[in-house]
Amino acid sequence: MELSSTPPSNIDPAALRARFTALPQNSDPADQVQLARINLGRQLYFDKRLSRESNQSCNSCHQLTNYGVDNKQYSPGSMPGAIDTPRNTPTVYNAAFQLSQFWDGRAVNLIAQAHGPLVAPKEMALHNLQEAVDIVARVPGYAPEFRQAFPGQQDPVNIENITASIAAFEQGLITPSPWDRYLQGDTAALTPAQKKGLKLYLADGCDTCHAGRDMGGISYQRLGDVYRWGNKSDPGREKVTHSATDFMFFKVPTLRNIAKTGPYFHDGSVPTLTDAIHLMADFQAGQTISDSDAASIAAFLGSMTGTLPASYIAAPAEPPSGSQSAGQSEGNKTSSIRESSGGRS
Ligand code: HEC
Ligand code: HEC
């Protein structure tokens, strides 16, 4: 795709708003209950006790100070030697805006999603969801927090409330960026190089799939729409729908913070963003683009690197296990789980 080398004119932000939507700012919680729920969700998100070896929290793989990822091809799980294969860890930032969760869209929303990792054998590896409830119930500090977050409930420490709290916290993981300011009308928010990249992005049809608020997350598409992707060991959405026509379909990933969230693709097989852009142009649009065009698109995608919500994601103090005060027989089980963590971080 050749474009003239004259300085790029601005694409009218109002016209772009037909395809793209700016991220909202993270708004203040509606009320005290919502605030309590978010605070509880944050604690659970960071609590390593919710894994088989007490060595892994959501934040171990989805590191919030690192754009919600660990930059590994596949993330190690709680059990020694367990590698979560064959899928690359996606970011949790802005995940709430997607049509579904996971590469294959098998969870309808964040609440449904949060059930998965707790018991996934190669992730936090608890034996079952009741174990998560038991662990939380044995931490004395959690009881008042659940009462505040779910007032009026007889027995608020249950899996529905655990996952709802984590999801409430995740809903605030939003990263507005220069791209949002551009969409809102501030045409100085993008550099000339980024504006050139935006034109190429549109000319190459990237926006047919990567659009909306998240620059993705609004549809499922076949990886290798024009040419076939080499690694076919993961059938993608076919596993969910059991329909052969969904073979190799994946949820189109968000391009928010994409400069920070490599390696790329569901199999984490591509280390650099410019290589990912070349492959996308080849495989999805059937065209070969020059290195300089790929670099321009990469510059444009850099405008989607947002500001991390520093105080919102500050790691909270873990409510103490309180082995003495827990009193009941299960208290011992907590401490034995804790001891077996063997100091792994
Ligand atoms: C061992 C690393 C690991 C841990 C721990 C982990 N995740 Fe994940 N997470 C992943 C991987 C890998 C995927 C993609 C799996 C798939 O698509 O099948 C994923 C997917 C997700 C998604 C979907 C994002 C998207 O764009 O589709 C969300 C949300 C998420 N995890 C939140 C959490 C929460 C909340 C926790 C803690 C309860 C957690 N994760 C713990 C590795 C991890
Ligand atoms: C036909 C739909 C479609 C088009 C057009 C398309 N993409 Fe994609 N894109 C996808 C899908 C689907 C994936 C996820 C594939 C996978 O990993 O299984 C993806 C993945 C990516 C990734 C890796 C994201 C990650 O988190 O690993 C980048 C970067 C990307 N696309 C950029 C682009 C660019 C730039 C263009 C234009 C040259 C483009 N895409 C055109 C559907 C599309």
Side-chain angles (χ1 to χ4, degrees):
M1 179 62 49
E2 285 301 315
L3 282 183
S4 79
S5 56
T6 49
S9 53
N10 292 324
I11 295 185
D12 180 8
L16 290 171
R17 290 200 291 268
R19 305 271 310 123
F20 307 106
T21 309
L23 286 176
Q25 296 288 334
N26 186 9
S27 52
D28 289 335
D31 52 35
Q32 288 303 308
V33 169
Q34 185 62 10
L35 177 63
R37 220 167 269 192
I38 290 167
N39 287 340
L40 174 58
R42 183 184 297 106
Q43 298 214 288
L44 295 166
Y45 187 95
F46 280 95
D47 198 330
K48 292 186 177 173
R49 287 169 294 198
L50 285 169
S51 61
R52 172 97 64 106
E53 302 285 341
S54 293
N55 59 354
Q56 188 166 62
S57 69
C58 310
N59 192 61
S60 304
C61 299
H62 304 282
Q63 297 163 16
L64 295 182
T65 53
N66 189 42
Y67 296 90
V69 297
D70 59 7
N71 295 129
K72 297 191 169 83
Q73 180 174 20
Y74 303 128
S75 303
S78 174
M79 302 293 284
I83 292 285
D84 193 45
T85 182
R87 289 188 179 158
N88 179 252
T89 300
T91 182
V92 283
Y93 280 105
N94 313 299
F97 303 121
Q98 303 183 102
L99 87 161
S100 62
Q101 303 298 320
F102 290 121
W103 282 101
D104 53 16
R106 69 185 180 281
V108 293
N109 57 30
L110 289 173
I111 298 179
Q113 192 286 325
H115 290 78
L118 295 168
V119 292
K122 292 181 175 162
E123 297 188 14
M124 297 157 89
L126 297 179
H127 296 93
N128 50 55
L129 290 170
Q130 186 56 41
E131 192 178 357
V133 178
D134 293 344
I135 290 170
V136 171
R138 284 195 299 268
V139 176
Y142 272 131
E145 296 198 26
F146 274 83
R147 280 198 299 275
Q148 271 187 306
F150 300 94
Q153 291 189 15
Q154 190 66 28
D155 191 11
V157 181
N158 55 47
I159 194 64
E160 285 72 31
N161 291 347
I162 289 173
T163 51
S165 305
I166 294 175
F169 169 63
E170 288 176 299
Q171 263 147 20
L173 298 172
I174 306 172
T175 59
S177 71
W179 171 236
D180 299 288
R181 294 204 297 280
Y182 191 91
L183 284 176
Q184 286 157 344
D186 175 6
T187 52
L190 296 195
T191 64
Q194 290 173 331
K195 288 176 189 174
K196 187 174 171 216
L198 167 58
K199 290 193 174 164
L200 291 164
Y201 184 89
L202 298 172
D204 289 339
C206 307
D207 63 318
T208 35
C209 298
H210 297 279
R213 189 168 278 173
D214 265 4
M215 308 301 281
I218 50 175
S219 65
Y220 306 103
Q221 299 287 340
R222 196 206 327 254
L223 174 59
D225 205 28
V226 177
Y227 300 111
R228 292 285 171 262
W229 191 253
N231 173 9
K232 295 186 197 63
S233 57
D234 186 340
R237 209 163 151 67
E238 184 189 28
K239 236 167 140 175
V240 181
T241 63
H242 305 292
S243 158
T245 54
D246 284 333
F247 179 66
M248 291 300 285
F249 272 67
F250 291 89
K251 188 181 67 193
V252 177
T254 175
L255 298 183
R256 294 275 176 187
N257 302 305
I258 194 71
K260 303 289 187 183
T261 59
Y264 301 103
F265 300 108
H266 71 273
D267 55 8
S269 59
V270 176
T272 70
L273 183 55
T274 45
D275 283 350
I277 292 166
H278 274 298
L279 287 168
M280 268 287 122
D282 274 7
F283 281 86
Q284 306 300 90
Q287 42 184 307
T288 307
I289 58 172
S290 67
D291 286 349
S292 90
D293 282 2
S296 294
I297 294 176
F300 166 58
L301 297 182
S303 77
M304 284 156 224
T305 301
T307 310
L308 299 180
S311 59
Y312 189 83
I313 61 170
E318 220 172 61
S321 288
S323 48
Q324 211 63 353
S325 56
Q328 300 128 353
S329 56
E330 294 108 312
N332 300 326
K333 207 166 148 202
T334 307
S335 40
S336 72
I337 290 172
R338 300 217 69 200
E339 278 151 22
S340 70
S341 72
R344 283 183 55 188
S345 62

